[in-house]
Amino acid sequence: MPKVRHYADLVTVLSGLSWLVVFWSVSLTAQMGSIEPTLAALLMLGTLILVSFVHRPTRVLLRRYHVRKRRTEMWMHILALPLMLAFLFGIVIENLLAPLNGEQKMLLFNVFATAGWLVFVVTVLIKLAMHLTRRHRSHGSKSGAGS
């Protein structure tokens, strides 16, 4: 069971990172005026998705409950909350300072999405540390009782 948990965490962290690359590439594309960054990011994402569907061991592992559960948590961190925060902060900034154009709104979303992904990674690391500590203590008490 722990290997499935670690694999689910790794898959979701990498999945979130790959989506962040796509989000930031859209901002870079808007800034540069060229579509190459977005095309490269989408090609990378498409390759990862293709490998996950074609490679049988990966496909079997990705169907497990823990991966889907972790992915839902990751989406909440990099999409749902950042969209809401970017919308609210965008309204406040536009009313108090100056109007924002599309590039600036996308940049605001990207900053929140990156912060949300970092919070997700820190949460995963804290959960991992707590799980390892708990497992270490339970193994230590079992070996100490048998002596």
Side-chain angles (χ1 to χ4, degrees):
M1 183 73 162
K3 286 188 179 184
V4 173
R5 181 178 293 123
H6 298 309
Y7 184 76
D9 290 341
L10 179 65
V11 166
T12 54
V13 166
L14 292 177
S15 175
L17 181 63
S18 64
W19 282 107
L20 281 178
V21 167
V22 171
F23 297 160
W24 279 101
S25 71
V26 171
S27 287
L28 188 60
T29 294
Q31 183 69 27
M32 291 174 42
S34 172
I35 64 168
E36 281 90 9
T38 300
L39 289 177
L42 290 174
L43 181 63
M44 179 216 47
L45 185 64
T47 303
L48 290 174
I49 291 171
L50 182 66
V51 166
S52 69
F53 282 124
V54 174
H55 189 248
R56 180 164 168 57
T58 306
R59 186 175 68 232
V60 169
L61 284 172
L62 288 177
R63 286 186 179 159
R64 296 199 176 190
Y65 168 74
H66 295 287
V67 174
R68 289 180 295 182
K69 180 181 171 188
R70 296 292 198 285
R71 278 188 175 167
T72 302
E73 293 172 5
M74 182 264 307
W75 278 116
M76 292 301 290
H77 280 86
I78 72 163
L79 190 63
L81 189 59
L83 275 175
M84 184 184 69
L85 288 174
F87 177 70
L88 292 175
F89 273 78
I91 290 173
V92 170
I93 290 171
E94 284 187 344
N95 286 331
L96 295 179
L97 300 174
L100 298 173
N101 63 20
E103 294 174 21
Q104 294 167 334
K105 290 177 184 176
M106 185 66 188
L107 181 64
L108 186 61
F109 167 75
N110 287 342
V111 168
F112 283 121
T114 303
W117 180 78
L118 289 173
V119 167
F120 176 73
V121 170
V122 169
T123 304
V124 165
L125 291 175
I126 290 171
K127 285 181 182 179
L128 175 65
M130 289 173 48
H131 179 72
L132 291 176
T133 304
R134 190 176 318 132
R135 193 172 75 185
H136 178 68
R137 285 183 183 169
S138 68
H139 286 307
S141 64
K142 287 179 184 176
S143 63
S147 297

